[in-house]
Amino acid sequence: MTPAPALSCLLLCIGLLVAGAGQAQIADPDPATAARAAAERLGRAMATLDQAEKARDRVKALTETVRAFENGLQAMREGLRQVTIREQALSRDLAIREAEIAQLLGVLQTMGKAPAPALLLHPAGPTGSARSGMILSDVTPALNARADVLRAKLEEMRMLRQLQTNAAETLKDGLTGVQEARAALSQAVADRDPLPRRFTEDPIRTALLITSTETLEGFASGLAEIAVNESPGSLPDISHRKGSLPLPVQGRVLRRAGEADAAGIRRPGIVVATRPRALVSTPAAATIRYRGPLLDYGNVMILEPQSGLLLVVAGLDVVYGDTGQVLPAGSPIGLMGGADPEIGAILQQTGEGAGTDRSETLYIEVREDNKPVDPETWFRIR
């Protein structure tokens, strides 16, 4: 089985089991919905990729494929975390009720071995036997019900453990799939037809601007100086999308605008914690104003969705595109650094009920008329 179908199958299994756990008021049923949605998205992405022929079509299809794998692996991690929580809860419950269960099994075994007439006989005679029969008729359904509950819990435990056993191989397939998709995406970006350009970068002016710049604000204010033969006009206004733009990367906000980091430094942007090698894309159609290393920000991509608005994305390991190009919305602009975790590390994290594998950080800043504004006014942050 190829990585995509294998991951989809396990995602659907996790979805069903986590949904059952949610009905038992043990786990949140949302991961089940996410798992099913991820499986469906992965299937659509692979179908689109099969139909893509031109390099530009492949970039779009591979971008969606990488995203689908990322969503699928995230849903799988969360699903396994919920499965582990449920399995631990069942184990604790069974351990607490061990004496009660042993007594129940002993009674059921005794009842099963003894012939029915003998169960109804009582030393006190017919009256005692009648009372014995009445008591037995009341107790037996309750004993059977408790036995059914125990049987269901033991079966659920067996299924959960089987699912965890199968997860290792499927995780391996999923990680292989996303790694292959990333490599194919990088190649497709290199092979695609040239994108429209709004201007040509002057490398000498760019080098001078970098060496003379001490702040991001100073660099941003000088961006117009590095452009040669810039086309008039601007991309369509996106003010109506304010507050609804998707984050460029899948992750969680680690620090909000103005919050101090461990060194006490405050920046006007947000810091998003991501998983290693996560795909970063443009949230809207935009012109690349700059790409490359800058100050202490690492690799930086500065995008201009409309005149007077800049999106600064810093901390990338790999960057795609060239300065001056106009990118469609959702286009890949780079990958985060780090290395994909080993299967054992992922299973250990889920086994501990944790999902703390977001080891990379992406800095996002928004500037309006060269003044920083809170990115949360533009992006949809959950």
Side-chain angles (χ1 to χ4, degrees):
M1 184 179 289
T2 58
L7 185 61
S8 296
C9 288
L10 192 62
L11 282 169
L12 291 174
C13 292
I14 287 175
L16 293 173
L17 282 174
V18 174
Q23 292 171 0
Q25 298 181 346
I26 295 295
D28 186 346
D30 285 345
T33 303
R36 286 190 290 267
E40 293 170 2
R41 182 176 184 179
L42 188 57
R44 291 195 302 270
M46 296 304 290
T48 303
L49 182 59
D50 289 340
Q51 298 171 2
E53 296 179 0
K54 296 182 180 179
R56 188 172 299 182
D57 294 336
R58 285 187 61 78
V59 169
K60 183 177 180 181
L62 283 164
T63 300
E64 178 59 21
T65 300
V66 173
R67 285 283 191 211
F69 267 113
E70 288 182 342
N71 287 347
L73 289 168
Q74 177 181 342
M76 185 174 177
R77 288 183 179 100
E78 179 60 20
L80 285 173
R81 188 178 72 85
Q82 296 285 13
V83 164
T84 300
I85 292 172
R86 174 59 176 163
E87 194 263 347
Q88 291 172 347
L90 284 172
S91 296
R92 285 194 299 268
D93 181 56
L94 292 173
I96 291 171
R97 299 173 58 187
E98 185 175 358
E100 179 185 348
I101 292 169
Q103 185 179 15
L104 171 62
L105 291 175
V107 172
L108 291 174
Q109 288 175 351
T110 301
M111 291 177 61
K113 292 178 181 178
L119 289 174
L120 298 176
L121 293 178
H122 194 276
T127 302
S129 296
R131 289 174 179 170
S132 172
M134 293 172 63
I135 293 172
L136 191 61
S137 65
D138 290 337
V139 170
T140 300
L143 290 174
N144 287 333
R146 288 167 66 185
D148 289 340
V149 170
L150 175 61
R151 190 179 300 109
K153 288 186 176 182
L154 291 173
E155 177 62 18
E156 185 179 356
M157 284 272 289
R158 186 193 67 78
M159 293 178 65
L160 293 176
R161 286 175 178 172
Q162 183 62 45
L163 184 62
Q164 290 169 322
T165 300
N166 295 340
E169 189 62 30
T170 308
L171 267 173
K172 180 180 177 181
D173 289 342
L175 289 172
T176 299
V178 73
Q179 288 163 359
E180 291 175 351
R182 289 186 197 125
L185 174 61
S186 297
Q187 187 60 50
V189 169
D191 294 342
R192 70 182 171 188
D193 295 333
L195 293 172
R197 282 183 178 271
R198 287 196 57 212
F199 64 88
T200 302
E201 179 189 20
D202 186 324
I204 297 178
R205 291 181 181 178
T206 301
L208 290 173
L209 179 61
I210 291 174
T211 56
S212 63
T213 295
E214 296 182 355
T215 64
L216 180 59
E217 181 177 2
F219 185 82
S221 63
L223 281 176
E225 300 174 8
I226 71 174
V228 179
N229 300 324
E230 183 166 1
S231 301
S234 174
L235 293 176
D237 190 284
I238 62 168
S239 298
H240 62 286
R241 298 184 62 190
K242 202 167 185 177
S244 64
L245 291 180
L247 282 173
V249 69
Q250 185 184 90
R252 293 179 180 175
V253 175
L254 186 63
R255 277 194 301 277
R256 287 185 154 78
E259 290 184 351
D261 61 15
I265 299 174
R266 300 178 186 273
R267 299 186 191 273
I270 61 174
V271 176
V272 179
T274 80
R275 291 192 170 91
R277 312 304 293 167
L279 178 67
V280 185
S281 57
T282 176
T287 302
I288 301 177
R289 278 290 171 180
Y290 174 78
R291 54 147 280 184
L294 181 65
L295 301 171
D296 61 344
Y297 290 91
N299 271 333
V300 173
M301 181 78 74
I302 300 180
L303 304 171
E304 185 184 50
Q306 66 182 45
S307 180
L309 178 66
L310 295 178
L311 304 181
V312 181
V313 182
L316 296 152
D317 179 57
V318 177
V319 288
Y320 299 135
D322 294 318
T323 303
Q325 286 182 334
V326 180
L327 301 177
S331 296
I333 58 174
L335 295 172
M336 299 300 295
D340 288 311
E342 298 293 331
I343 304 299
I346 296 175
L347 293 176
Q348 181 180 357
Q349 288 164 349
T350 57
E352 294 170 351
T356 55
D357 58 342
R358 292 178 172 85
S359 57
E360 305 301 310
T361 55
L362 186 71
Y363 177 72
I364 302 171
E365 186 173 314
V366 179
R367 307 184 70 86
E368 294 181 14
D369 298 323
N370 204 29
K371 294 181 180 179
V373 299
D374 189 344
E376 294 193 41
T377 62
W378 278 93
F379 290 101
R380 181 179 67 252
I381 297 176
R382 293 176 294 180

